[in-house]
């Protein structure tokens, strides 16, 4: 790895900037509480591990090089997010209750992992960012990718959990306001739709994760 300190600075800067994954975690935390937010964060970073292994194995490069393969990933991710939006819109609950009915944490975790695995921007992140810090003279390029990916994932996990905790604190304030639950449900649905649209239009020129 060339210039580890520069890599840490650049990785931290890119990871903590709000993006689709942070928005997803924030939405979950506000809707279902701190535990759901943290489960979402763990799921998202599990997806990062999948991308990390794929990048080290060269699969991400294949997907990015093939317009057909990249399109499949992009539209699969968008379709899944639209499905989540529809599921949110169709959910039923007692609007006088203080909280929305939570999903099982296992389902929340899986949703987070799938959202990140099907996020083509993360593929582009690993392709565009990590190779800049690979030292070909040091040998074992896949190992360097794995190490940098793991470091990036750890930074991302800390950032994701902080977003989840902050969102949960805000949710406590919002839930004390009348009609929040109904408005929050529709807002959550539209956020998922927005993330789906972002996945559709993801391309080489859009690399924020």
């Amino acid at each position: 790895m060339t210039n580890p300190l520069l890599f840490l600075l650049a990785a931290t800067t890119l990871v903590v900037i709000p993006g689709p994954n942070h928005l997803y975690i924030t939405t979950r935390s506000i809707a279902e509480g701190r535990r759901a937010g943290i489960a979402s964060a763990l799921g998202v970073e599990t997806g990062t591990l999948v991308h990390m292994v794929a990048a080290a194995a060269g699969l991400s490069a294949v997907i990015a090089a093939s317009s057909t393969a990249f399109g499949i990933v992009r539209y699969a991710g968008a379709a899944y997010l639209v499905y989540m939006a529809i599921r949110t819109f169709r959910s039923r609950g007692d609007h006088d209750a203080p909280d929305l009915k939570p999903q099982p944490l296992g389902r929340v975790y899986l949703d987070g992992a799938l959202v990140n695995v099907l996020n083509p921007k993360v593929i582009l992140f690993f392709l565009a960012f990590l190779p800049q810090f690979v030292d070909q003279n040091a040998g074992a390029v896949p190992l360097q990718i794995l190490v940098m990916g793991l470091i990036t994932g750890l930074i991302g996990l800390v950032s994701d959990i902080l977003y989840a905790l902050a969102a949960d604190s805000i949710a406590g304030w919002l839930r004390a306001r009348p009609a929040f639950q109904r408005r929050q449900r529709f807002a959550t649905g539209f956020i998922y739709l927005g993330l789906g649209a972002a996945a559709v239009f993801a391309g080489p020129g859009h690399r924020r994760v």
Side-chain angles (χ1 to χ4, degrees), residues 31-103:
E32 302 175 36
R34 179 183 303 177
R35 294 179 65 192
I38 293 176
S40 297
L42 293 173
V44 163
E45 295 311 322
T46 298
T48 297
L49 292 178
V50 174
H51 284 293
M52 176 186 70
V53 173
L59 296 179
S60 293
V62 173
I63 292 175
S66 168
S67 58
T68 300
F70 186 81
I72 290 173
V73 172
R74 180 175 60 187
Y75 289 114
Y80 185 73
L81 289 165
V82 170
Y83 159 74
M84 293 180 64
I86 294 172
R87 190 177 71 184
T88 301
F89 286 136
R90 296 182 62 184
S91 65
R92 294 289 183 268
D94 181 0
H95 295 316
D96 294 327
D99 297 300
L100 291 173
K101 182 179 179 180
Q103 296 289 330

Side-chain angles (χ1 to χ4, degrees), residues 4 8 10 12 29 31 36-37 49 53 56 63 72 101 105 117 134 141 153 158 197 204:
L8 287 174
T12 301
S29 193
L49 292 178
V53 173
I63 292 175
I72 290 173
K101 182 179 179 180
L105 291 181
V117 167
V134 170
V141 170
V158 172

Side-chain angles (χ1 to χ4, degrees), residues 110-179:
L110 180 60
D111 283 347
L114 288 175
V115 164
N116 202 18
V117 167
L118 296 175
N119 184 356
K121 293 185 178 182
V122 182
I123 296 175
L124 294 175
F125 170 81
F126 276 96
L127 287 176
F129 177 70
L130 294 188
Q132 299 180 36
F133 297 92
V134 170
D135 184 358
Q136 294 182 334
N137 295 323
V141 170
L143 180 59
Q144 293 183 57
I145 293 291
L146 287 174
V147 170
M148 288 189 289
L150 183 59
I151 292 173
T152 302
L154 290 174
I155 296 172
L157 181 60
V158 172
S159 174
D160 293 343
I161 290 177
L162 290 177
Y163 270 88
L165 296 178
D168 179 65
S169 299
I170 296 173
W173 180 84
L174 291 174
R175 290 191 187 106
R177 269 58 186 175

